[in-house]
Amino acid sequence: MIKSPTLTFDARAELLADALDKNSLPDVARALDRLSVAETMEQLERLNSIDRALAFRTLPKGRALEVFERLDALLQADLVAGLQDAQVAEVFAGLSPDDRVALLDELPASVAKRLLLGLSDKDRALTNTVLGYPQGAVGRYMSPQFVTARPWFTAAQTMARVRAQLDDAESIYTIPVVDEGRRLVGVVSLRDVLRAAESDPVASLMKDPLSAPATLDAEEAARYCADAKVLVLPIVDAETRLVGILTVDDALGILEDAESEDAARAGGAEPLRRPYLATPVRSIVRARVVWLLVLALGATLTVQVMGALAEQVVLSLFIPLLIGTGGNTGNQAATTITRALALGDVRPRDVFKVLARELRVGAWLGILLGGLGFVLASILFTVPLGLVIGLTLLGVCTMAAGVGGLMPLLGKALKVDPAVFSNPFISTFVDATGLIIYFLIASSVLGL
């Protein structure tokens, strides 16, 4: 492939856009020929569905499969709708079983069934193995194509088996070792096999295996794989029989998707699941409107309480300070606990420990900030007003930290993504509750 060193990525994008505007397939092919596989994928992600299908048709067969494999499943589904049946079947057959399943999950049932029927018996059986596990389970992301060894194999026999399966195996760098019943008994690295004498038995080279059950949540398994720093995590069934492997690149992909989803929900939106420029406007609207409606309804209580406080001009001056402090305190606690849940540092059963700790943290923050607020308000206004501000900050910080720490744990216990109980929801709840606390303290101290 010839790549022009003088053209920037944006300049190449302009060439592709001009060729598509002219509807000139030769020019489109030449524009894409200047790009690497990664750059081609980036350019396709920026196009609408019609232009994307048109550009993809101009790619050579081998490069088309490479690009298709690296696209998100939703973009793959969009492309399938715009390609001819023969080309779709060819590309689909070239995917690995786990990638096929990800694509099938995004396709209409009739299309998925037609594509499955077009596979060879071997490929269909491998794909059905992955399809048999529930969505969200790591079995849905594993590869059923792997090399195994037996404890009594010699290093030479193991290397012969690796060479025989080079073209089919997902990974060869970590080799699971199984017994006669396909139960996982160890793992051996390719490096150790190459270093050993040809007659050395695998039993003397293998190590105790790490593994995950096929029904385990995919994010938990991916986190385990990443934390253990292994290239391959064997996946087993309920009887510890080896059924697949999770490679580190697939694990990182799962974690990246989970982080993107959490980041979107922490900002009060649903994840787009497509690159931004490839996402239809209606999908972006749908992703944002739900939480905006929830927050708008929740804010009505805030408006009512603020109306009562606004009658006292001096009290209304401190509203931004109080709701801002409470919201930030709750968000800090929620972010910390959500992260701790993701890393496995806490579990839903630790709810009382977390609540007690966050209430203490909130109380200390309230004492520090409330003390400062008392001094400043007393100097600038009156001591009773300073007392109101100080006590309110103490109450708001304690309440906000407790609620912020509790919400992610509640979400996890209810088997809902903790990020759903996200910062905007907590901010709205804390704003309303904080203003009620402010109103009650002001009424009691100032006799309103």
Side-chain angles (χ1 to χ4, degrees):
M1 184 192 306
I2 300 174
K3 293 177 61 178
S4 171
T6 60
L7 290 178
T8 64
F9 181 82
D10 288 339
R12 294 169 187 162
E14 287 296 327
L15 284 176
L16 178 59
D18 290 343
L20 287 168
D21 287 341
K22 298 174 184 174
N23 205 26
S24 172
L25 293 183
D27 288 343
V28 170
R30 279 192 291 271
L32 290 176
D33 192 50
R34 298 171 177 266
L35 307 179
S36 66
V37 170
E39 290 172 333
T40 301
M41 183 186 72
E42 289 183 55
Q43 293 290 0
L44 292 179
E45 288 175 345
R46 298 165 61 91
L47 301 175
N48 60 49
S49 57
I50 296 174
D51 285 346
R52 189 184 305 119
L54 184 66
F56 186 82
R57 287 196 193 107
T58 68
L59 294 175
K61 177 181 174 181
R63 197 143 156 265
L65 178 57
E66 285 187 79
V67 171
F68 192 87
E69 284 180 322
R70 298 178 66 169
L71 291 173
D72 293 336
L74 272 175
L75 287 186
Q76 290 179 341
D78 288 346
L79 264 179
V80 165
L83 297 177
Q84 298 172 354
D85 287 348
Q87 189 173 13
V88 170
E90 188 175 38
V91 170
F92 185 72
L95 296 175
S96 60
D98 52 320
D99 288 336
R100 285 193 207 115
V101 169
L103 173 56
L104 290 172
D105 286 339
E106 304 297 343
L107 293 174
S110 58
V111 177
K113 182 178 180 180
R114 189 169 71 248
L115 288 175
L116 274 174
L117 291 175
L119 294 174
S120 66
D121 291 343
K122 176 184 176 182
D123 285 340
R124 191 183 310 117
L126 290 171
T127 304
N128 284 332
T129 298
V130 180
L131 271 174
Y133 293 97
Q135 289 194 5
V138 68
R140 201 85 170 187
Y141 296 86
M142 72 179 186
S143 172
Q145 296 177 296
F146 48 86
V147 181
T148 60
R150 300 293 176 92
W152 56 86
F153 279 9
T154 64
Q157 288 174 313
T158 303
M159 282 306 305
R161 176 172 280 208
V162 169
R163 291 190 186 96
Q165 300 182 44
L166 270 177
D167 293 335
D168 295 328
E170 180 79 9
S171 175
I172 60 169
Y173 302 108
T174 299
I175 305 169
V177 183
V178 296
D179 62 13
E180 300 95 328
R182 290 184 60 82
R183 288 182 291 271
L184 183 69
V185 295
V187 293
V188 62
S189 72
L190 183 63
R191 181 190 296 271
D192 289 341
V193 174
L194 289 170
R195 184 189 292 124
E198 290 188 352
S199 59
D200 285 349
V202 167
S204 67
L205 305 174
M206 69 183 190
K207 301 175 182 177
D208 291 337
L210 299 175
S211 64
T215 54
L216 183 66
D217 179 77
E219 187 177 345
E220 288 187 42
R223 183 78 59 188
Y224 182 41
C225 180
D227 289 346
K229 296 179 173 60
V230 293
L231 294 176
V232 165
L233 181 67
I235 306 300
V236 297
D237 63 13
E239 298 176 352
T240 70
R241 289 191 296 260
L242 185 67
V243 293
I245 58 172
L246 179 69
T247 59
V248 67
D249 57 326
D250 286 336
L252 293 177
I254 293 169
L255 293 177
E256 182 181 355
D257 290 343
E259 292 289 342
S260 298
E261 183 177 281
D262 289 348
R265 286 176 172 163
E270 289 298 303
L272 296 178
R273 300 179 63 217
R274 285 184 177 94
Y276 177 77
L277 290 177
T279 305
V281 171
R282 65 179 180 278
S283 297
I284 298 177
V285 172
R286 193 183 307 120
R288 297 181 184 178
V289 71
V290 175
W291 275 106
L292 289 177
L293 291 173
V294 172
L295 298 178
L297 291 174
T300 56
L301 179 59
T302 304
V303 172
Q304 291 177 345
V305 178
M306 286 183 67
L309 291 172
E311 296 177 4
Q312 301 292 324
V313 176
V314 175
L315 291 177
S316 66
L317 295 176
F318 289 92
I319 290 175
L321 166 68
L322 297 174
I323 64 175
T325 302
N328 289 335
T329 303
N331 290 343
Q332 287 175 337
T335 301
T336 301
I337 301 306
T338 299
R339 183 65 178 166
L341 278 170
L343 295 175
D345 293 340
V346 297
R347 295 285 188 272
R349 64 175 177 268
D350 299 320
V351 59
F352 294 112
K353 293 180 182 178
V354 171
L355 181 60
R357 177 178 289 262
E358 286 300 328
L359 287 175
R360 292 202 305 271
V361 170
W364 272 110
L365 290 172
I367 290 171
L368 294 172
L369 295 174
L372 179 61
F374 169 74
V375 171
L376 293 177
S378 297
I379 293 174
L380 296 174
F381 297 96
T382 64
V383 172
L385 181 61
L387 184 60
V388 170
I389 300 304
L391 289 174
T392 302
L393 283 170
L394 173 60
V396 166
C397 287
T398 304
M399 177 272 301
V403 171
L406 191 61
M407 285 296 183
L409 292 170
L410 179 60
K412 190 73 172 179
L414 295 174
K415 300 189 183 303
V416 177
D417 191 330
V420 171
F421 294 86
S422 59
N423 295 348
F425 178 84
I426 292 172
S427 294
T428 302
F429 177 82
V430 169
D431 288 352
T433 310
L435 287 173
I436 292 173
I437 293 173
Y438 186 30
F439 179 76
L440 293 175
I441 292 176
S443 298
S444 177
V445 174
L446 300 179
L448 299 178

